[in-house]
Amino acid sequence: MADAPVTFLPLGAIIQELLVGGVNIVQGFPEQSQYESHNDPFFGETIGRVANRIKGAQIDSLNGGKSYALAANNGPNNLHGGVVGWGKKIWDGPKPVGVREIPGFAGLDGGESVKFSLVSPDGDEGFPGTVQASVVYTVGKQVQEGKDVIVLGIEYEAELVGGADETVINMTNHSYFNLTGGPSIEGTVVTLATNSYLPVDDGGIPTSGAKPFATVQGGKAFTLGPVEPDIDDCFVINEAPNTVPIDTRSLPAAKLVSAHHPESKIHLEVYSTEPAFQFYTGKYISVPEVAGVPARNARSGFCVEPSRYVNACNVDEWKDQMLLKKGEKYGCRIVYRAWKE
């Protein structure tokens, strides 16, 4: 993928660059070593075993009623797989796997694909069972109204291969988008597919099923200001949690978020087969200047993290969407489309 507008790293199977009109629209660092020393915000990482938070840093009941203690790395809760989650581990790759289609995205030119693989042992960060995980990135191009559209497909797969009969999986990508390459996301115009979200307590753990989000309307554009709206919430596309399969790859990829900036004229769309997505406006970003790259501070990027429901592994009505058993495969797909007017 030497000439592709996207670059990746073995550490965390990270998306390092996504170039649109000469602008890298994802936050990151020039070298892998700088991610190792400065990437507290999870720039570009493949998140696992479980994205987002797990209440009390504990899985309450798996494998016949056993509980599993996890690292409390976000207050009392577990966040993004723990202290050394999958985004902090070295993956095997990238390995070329030929030309692939991205389901639901016709007329794709290119489709060159690479694969990263990881074996997560039984007990890794406290999680039960040995898991073989992979991510395949497919890069192609579409033409839309005479404009070249970069299409990046992401396909996740995980299989429980030993050490336990059950585990929990919830993978996503944690890229921070900035459509100008500037210091702030201010002025970015965003549309969310829905305003149904999971209300949470002070630690970010859901307190109920989906409710309407007060300050955003689904399908209606809003503009990100210098401080408001301040959002870090899980929005729900599928409000019937018991209908979500462990492998969502057979489902159509729905558009979750569209965004553009009127000054750069760069557009981004995020699609996924997942039932929910975390939308985060980057309040807690704090990264010093590194290797000539200016410091990144609050609201220097926004995240769209397609996923299962937050803390689903500890909620009986939601648990099956995250529960991986021996003989099954976890899977999901995410697609980014980006172009400049």
Side-chain angles (χ1 to χ4, degrees), residues 194-200 208-214 233-236 239:
T194 180
N195 73 334
S196 293
Y197 87 115
L198 299 177
V200 295
S208 74
K211 305 287 185 182
F213 192 81
D233 289 281
C234 182
F235 292 85
V236 177
E239 295 187 34

Side-chain angles (χ1 to χ4, degrees), residues 22-34:
V23 176
N24 180 17
I25 66 168
V26 296
Q27 292 287 10
F29 303 95
E31 303 292 339
Q32 180 167 293
S33 61
Q34 292 141 7

Side-chain angles (χ1 to χ4, degrees), residues 83-101:
V83 176
V84 187
W86 289 359
K88 308 296 184 187
K89 298 181 184 295
I90 300 295
W91 293 57
D92 183 20
K95 293 186 176 180
V97 289
V99 175
R100 296 191 177 190
E101 295 182 351

Side-chain angles (χ1 to χ4, degrees), residues 15-18 23-28 175-178 336:
I15 299 174
Q16 182 185 28
E17 291 182 307
L18 177 52
V23 176
N24 180 17
I25 66 168
V26 296
Q27 292 287 10
S175 288
Y176 285 76
F177 298 101
N178 182 313
Y336 303 145

Side-chain angles (χ1 to χ4, degrees), residues 110-141:
E112 187 176 354
S113 302
V114 296
K115 182 177 183 178
F116 291 86
S117 302
L118 178 74
V119 176
S120 175
D122 182 25
D124 186 11
E125 290 292 314
F127 290 91
T130 299
V131 171
Q132 292 179 347
S134 67
V135 53
V136 174
Y137 292 114
T138 300
V139 181
K141 182 180 73 175

Side-chain angles (χ1 to χ4, degrees), residues 71-89:
N73 63 324
N74 185 247
N77 303 317
N78 179 268
L79 177 67
H80 293 333
V83 176
V84 187
W86 289 359
K88 308 296 184 187
K89 298 181 184 295

